[in-house]
Amino acid sequence: MVADRPIVVAGAGAIGCFVGGMLAAGGRRVALLARPRVKTEIERFGLLLTDFDGTEKKLGAGQLALSEDPAILHSAGIVLVTVKSADTADVADQIAWHAPEDAVIVSLQNGVGNVAVLRERLDGRRVLAGMVPFNVIGMGEGRFHRSTSGDIHIGADAGNTAATLSVPGLAVRASKDITGVQWGKLIINLNNALSALSDMPLAAQLASRDWRRLFADQMAEGLAALKAAGITPVSATPIPMNWSPTLLRLPDAVFKAILGRTMKIDPEARSSMWQDLKHGRRTEIDYLQGAVIALAEQNHVDVPLMRRIVALIREAEAAGNGPPRLTPQQIRGVA
């Protein structure tokens, strides 16, 4: 990457605004390709980035470039793709048309299929997979709040893109097994749907053994599908992925002690899928549970709980009434 070329965030929603804002606060040249609503909000209020640990950074709108026109990609050195998975093909076409051919493209999206779409539509360009472990909530008036801990991981490359993107307060680490890291994050992200269906903050949900058992059973289905496909997920925490279902089923006090050593969660942290239902948007269920179900079908693994969860999310999307506040028993179909 040429040092004086900007990092462009393509699809600046909650994750994109937080990551882009942190990069700008760390001295990087940053441009945000955003929807008109987000652009107007930042122009009016600036960016306030707050964290679960109580720290905050304030940036004026003039500290980064803002546009809803993809032509802002014209001089990008790095493009961070942060759109929803359903929009990946469209943003790839915008990158192909506007961004320099030597720009590094980094997918910071949920799911495991986005990089393949980007590489297909950006043939010959350098495309790196990435994984963002933390949640960000758009609080309104330019405030974006990181509510869980963790470092970003991207695929290792000769240009050491991870080091370029790493700034104080936003660690970015190079991974030699980014595919395993992405699958590991996807298995954890299976809880996004449970958070959305429950209408509970993540911390409160994980404090309940009934909810954790439901998560553990869904995770066990996912791990069985991955094992049948010969995929080894990499854990983003010191706890091996295969231990996770057992740990989730432990008594509350024991689980709380273990979680406190491995992850920090804001009391009001919510999943992105919860935010989508709350605002009447289509969720990424097809790219999370849907990806595991497709893998399970290919390898003749039964995943009935996951199928039911997908059906319940689709019902909630169709109803348009926000998170339905179901109980674990209702999700299992036994209430």
Side-chain angles (χ1 to χ4, degrees):
M1 173 189 162
V2 178
D4 61 351
R5 286 163 57 183
I7 299 165
V8 181
V9 179
I15 289 289
C17 284
F18 186 87
V19 171
M22 291 296 291
L23 287 167
R28 305 293 192 266
R29 283 186 64 202
V30 175
L32 303 182
L33 174 59
R35 296 185 186 277
R37 177 188 61 79
V38 176
K39 177 175 178 287
T40 300
E41 182 178 334
I42 296 172
E43 286 174 339
R44 181 178 178 187
F45 298 104
L47 269 180
L48 176 61
L49 310 174
T50 58
D51 214 329
F52 62 89
D53 63 4
T55 61
E56 64 177 54
K57 296 181 185 292
K58 177 72 175 177
L59 293 91
Q63 291 181 254
L64 33 72
L66 291 163
S67 181
E68 57 194 84
D69 185 347
I72 200 171
L73 292 158
H74 72 95
S75 62
I78 296 176
V79 179
L80 303 181
V81 180
T82 59
V83 298
K84 296 285 189 182
S85 297
D87 297 323
T88 301
D90 287 342
V91 81
D93 291 343
Q94 293 176 353
I95 293 168
W97 184 258
H98 293 285
E101 291 195 4
D102 64 344
V104 182
I105 318 302
V106 184
S107 169
L108 296 182
Q109 301 164 274
N110 282 333
V112 295
N114 294 299
V115 168
V117 175
L118 290 169
R119 285 177 176 158
E120 179 183 357
R121 291 176 176 261
L122 298 168
D123 187 34
R125 301 201 188 202
R126 184 155 36 129
V127 179
L128 302 178
M131 185 278 289
V132 180
F134 51 78
N135 291 352
V136 176
I137 304 171
M139 308 293 287
E141 297 188 351
R143 182 186 172 198
F144 295 89
H145 179 70
R146 176 165 55 181
S147 56
T148 56
S149 61
D151 298 337
I152 294 174
H153 290 249
I154 68 172
D157 68 327
N160 202 2
T161 302
T164 300
L165 294 172
S166 198
V167 295
L170 188 77
V172 180
R173 304 191 183 281
S175 173
K176 294 182 179 179
D177 184 12
I178 194 62
T179 299
V181 169
Q182 285 186 304
W183 275 108
K185 171 68 182 311
L186 189 150
I187 293 297
I188 296 298
N189 271 353
L190 296 175
N191 192 48
N192 280 11
L194 300 182
S195 169
L197 293 170
S198 72
D199 196 26
M200 294 171 64
L202 290 169
Q205 181 200 3
L206 289 172
S208 165
R209 197 176 187 187
D210 283 346
W211 279 107
R212 292 200 310 276
R213 283 171 170 161
L214 186 62
F215 182 21
D217 292 347
Q218 188 186 199
M219 182 181 284
E221 287 186 352
L223 291 172
L226 264 61
K227 183 177 181 180
I231 297 170
T232 302
V234 176
S235 176
T237 74
I239 298 172
M241 187 64 63
N242 288 335
W243 293 9
S244 294
T246 299
L247 294 176
L248 286 166
R249 297 183 181 110
L250 290 172
D252 290 341
V254 179
F255 177 79
K256 182 179 179 180
I258 294 171
L259 181 68
R261 296 191 188 102
T262 60
M263 188 176 187
K264 303 298 181 184
I265 303 178
D266 188 288
E268 293 305 314
R270 305 274 188 165
S271 74
S272 59
M273 200 172 293
W274 175 87
Q275 295 179 66
D276 289 337
L277 288 186
K278 188 78 172 176
H279 296 289
R281 300 189 295 249
R282 186 176 180 181
T283 73
E284 292 188 295
I285 193 75
D286 290 339
Y287 301 93
L288 299 175
Q289 275 82 352
V292 180
I293 290 171
L295 200 66
E297 288 176 347
Q298 294 168 15
N299 293 279
H300 311 290
V301 176
D302 196 19
V303 288
L305 177 59
M306 207 172 300
R307 290 183 185 280
R308 178 166 172 78
I309 289 167
V310 169
L312 291 170
I313 287 290
R314 287 181 174 149
E315 286 178 16
E317 287 177 335
N321 296 322
R325 299 188 178 185
L326 302 181
T327 66
Q329 293 74 28
Q330 287 172 319
I331 292 174
R332 291 185 187 275
V334 297

